[in-house]
Amino acid sequence: DVTERNNQEKALRVLTTIFEATPDYVVQMDRRGLITYANPAIRGLAGVAPGAPVEHLNFAGFSTEQTNARFAEEILPAVNERGAWLGETVILDGQGREVAVNHLVIAHRNAEGQIERFSAVMRNISEEIAVRHEAERSAAAMRAVAELSPSILSVLDAELRYRFVNTAFEQRVGRK
């Protein structure tokens, strides 16, 4: 019916507007990995001009070796089984630099249930990863200092449970 078709076309225009405006990277590819759609954010990251065709590009070319291996070994089996996969991966920008992303892959199936294409939505999490690594490095340095200190050190939580004790504490109390 005409009303339903108009509603579907309107919904498609709204989705297209969202994909075109989001800072997230949105890509659609066929089942072989050939890109059929790339939004402006991923085009900018990859160095692909706004109006340039993308159909000759393969998504594997924008992924690291590790991400491509994960796609074959982990992501594709999960997408086949559950229809979607969500996790963290690393892609490459237009200069070959690594970009950490939160990565959603969705399978689109035909009437026979076979995967026809994939959609991927990726969010750059490079800054969050850098902050996480810095916090881990700082915590490791603090643990190392605490362990080397001859002073008895302990950290208790709000319920007065020990969360950390150093070697001097363990030697003084006599247990590990």
Side-chain angles (χ1 to χ4, degrees):
D1 125 301
V2 174
T3 303
E4 179 63 25
R5 182 179 167 115
N6 286 341
N7 288 340
Q8 288 177 353
E9 288 175 358
K10 182 179 177 184
L12 181 60
R13 284 191 303 274
V14 168
L15 282 175
T16 301
T17 301
I18 292 168
F19 290 156
E20 293 291 306
T22 184
D24 292 339
Y25 311 128
V26 181
V27 177
Q28 192 163 77
M29 62 213 105
D30 67 18
R31 61 186 166 160
R32 296 169 300 163
L34 292 175
I35 296 175
T36 57
Y37 170 79
N39 78 335
I42 191 75
R43 285 173 177 269
L45 180 79
V48 176
V54 293
E55 291 76 17
H56 65 286
L57 301 173
N58 191 307
F59 189 74
F62 295 101
S63 299
T64 64
E65 279 186 37
Q66 295 88 347
T67 297
N68 285 327
R70 280 185 74 195
F71 193 84
E73 297 164 11
E74 174 190 345
I75 299 169
L76 188 56
V79 169
N80 276 323
E81 182 180 326
R82 296 186 298 275
W85 177 88
L86 177 64
E88 293 179 1
T89 63
V90 177
I91 60 173
L92 301 170
D93 71 7
Q95 281 74 50
R97 294 177 298 220
E98 294 186 353
V99 178
V101 294
N102 187 299
H103 198 151
L104 170 65
V105 179
I106 304 167
H108 303 278
R109 298 181 187 275
N110 62 21
E112 292 80 38
Q114 299 169 327
I115 295 176
E116 281 189 339
R117 63 190 183 284
F118 299 96
S119 293
V121 180
M122 298 159 283
R123 176 166 290 164
N124 186 334
I125 58 170
S126 298
E127 288 181 22
E128 292 90 344
I129 296 290
V131 168
R132 188 185 315 162
H133 287 167
E134 183 56 35
E136 290 167 358
R137 280 191 292 275
S138 294
M142 292 304 290
R143 277 191 301 279
V145 168
E147 283 298 324
L148 294 173
S149 173
S151 300
I152 296 170
L153 300 173
S154 64
V155 176
L156 291 94
D157 64 17
E159 284 83 36
L160 301 179
R161 292 179 295 200
Y162 288 102
R163 303 312 270 169
F164 172 82
V165 297
N166 69 346
T167 302
F169 181 97
E170 290 174 347
Q171 290 171 346
R172 175 73 178 226
V173 173
R175 60 180 130 136
K176 285 198 171 214

